[in-house]
Amino acid sequence: MEIHKPAHVVLLSSPGLGHLIPFIELGNRFALHHNLKVTVIAVTSETSAAETQLIKSATKPNLINIIQLPSQDISHLIKPDAAVVTRLCVMMREAKPAIRTSLSNMTPQPSVFIVDIFGTESLPIAKDFNLLNYVFVASHAWFLSLVIYTPVLDKQIEGQYVEQQEELKIPGCRSVRPEEVVDPMLDRNDMQYEEYLGVGNGIPKSDGVLINTWEELQHSDLQALRDEDLLGGILNKIPVYGIGPIARQPVSETSQETELVLQWLDKQPSESVIYVSFGSGGTMSFEQMTELAWALELSEQRFIWVVRAPTEVAADAAFLSTGFTSNSDDNNEVVANYLPEGFLSRTHNVGILVLEWAPQEAILRHPSIGGFLSHCGWNSTIESLTNGVPMIAWPLYAEQRMNATLLAEEMGVAVRPKVLPLKKVVDREEIASMVREIMVVDQNAKGNPIRERVKEIKNSAEKALLEGGSSRVAMSEVLLTAKDHCRACKRKNRRLELHLHVLELGRVSHWLHWQHTDVL
């Protein structure tokens, strides 16, 4: 029986699948491995069918409780073309009264409150309830280092970050090239930049930070975040825990569309299929989509491609509106309008198209998958690494440009285009070459070095989660701290109760004395 555990942990997630998925999986880990009562407060977008379906499926095992808080109307607070980061921060700010009400009504009263990076303005609410509070960063340690150091860079650097001639230096961590900065740093005059600075200043006000990484993967970055002379001072010396990898697990119940995809994979040779998906919100232009289609055909590799309608606007245009779509003949006809003429008929024996959303966690763990062309969002990256699948890094938005650099240059588990896809259209020959680079094993060589490296990281991830592994130990430390906090709160409450009792006895004694005097 687990002895070091708080009774009730509450997790607060902002809208979007990329935020909700890791919070649900973290909640499941608390419930399964530590026997805790877990409640997830999910501020929802109400515009994503996939988000709704995820919440529905997450509650079926009865491991965690999910409270949905519909997002408030914020149209009067932001511009119609406001960036996703701006929308998320304002949504979470407007949800604070409902969050407070939810916490006050919970039974038993929670003892730990965990928010994502967009929920840091709710940390004072947790303090009002005397809860231990953490920020869960559902990304990597290098990303966190940039977030908390940006308020310093804001004072040091003049002009736009993307126009700087030198790399942005972060104490103890890899420097960030101007073209790699996160979306809010692309334009310092945009409202999302101010919101992002608020996030960087808000994280150190917590009692600690949990990160979806592990010691063996990012040891130097984690150490820099703990070192008072590097980034630890900016974090106010709060503890930093690498508790990953936290990745979505396949659901027990599968749809007919999922079964068809898995049945097709069952018929393919081992590590022969490349999976192509740009996450829950990624989109691309019509021209780029055409080049990608031709590239898959030219590569002569089997493929599964999650297709979404092209757009000429923001690359994260579908982030808050991802939906499920059945793969009917009618929908295939619609998709054909986005693709080169005859593409469907020419590739029907070697590839399949899935509309909008696919069971990615089940696909990536299938033995027939040999590569992943991905927007390299951190959830997708973790799922790829933990299944030993090499990647083609195709960053689109958020911190994905940093992720691509981390995967290709530091970890050696990915290849990427010569120029960022958002700067120019990547032509079919370059894409086809990258596909062959990660998929084809040279029979005259010892093997594919990228595949070998990703298998090493997979093994490292597995060890981190074993009993005595770095992430397992880190999680135990979090829960031990929480239990000590609970004990301290109980002692404080008992002292307060005793003090109130003494005061009450004093008042009663005074009243009796007054009554006795009055009688005399």
Side-chain angles (χ1 to χ4, degrees), residues 220-240:
S220 60
D221 292 313
L222 289 169
Q223 287 299 98
L225 289 164
R226 295 168 182 142
D227 191 328
E228 185 178 350
D229 295 327
L230 297 173
L231 296 173
I234 294 175
L235 277 174
N236 294 329
K237 298 183 283 186
I238 60 175
V240 175

Side-chain angles (χ1 to χ4, degrees), residues 179-190:
E179 65 269 18
E180 294 168 346
V181 297
V182 295
D183 278 4
M185 296 176 70
L186 295 175
D187 183 0
R188 297 175 74 169
N189 298 317
D190 193 289

Side-chain angles (χ1 to χ4, degrees), residues 1 7 88 216 218 234 258 359 382 388 409 414 480:
M1 179 178 178
L88 290 172
E216 295 76 11
Q218 292 190 287
I234 294 175
T258 297
I382 288 289
E409 297 183 20
L480 180 59

Side-chain angles (χ1 to χ4, degrees), residues 9 118 158 213-214 255 270 309 313 402 439 464 468:
V9 176
F118 298 105
E158 295 183 0
T213 188
W214 58 101
S255 65
S270 175
V313 294
M402 294 181 71
M439 294 296 294

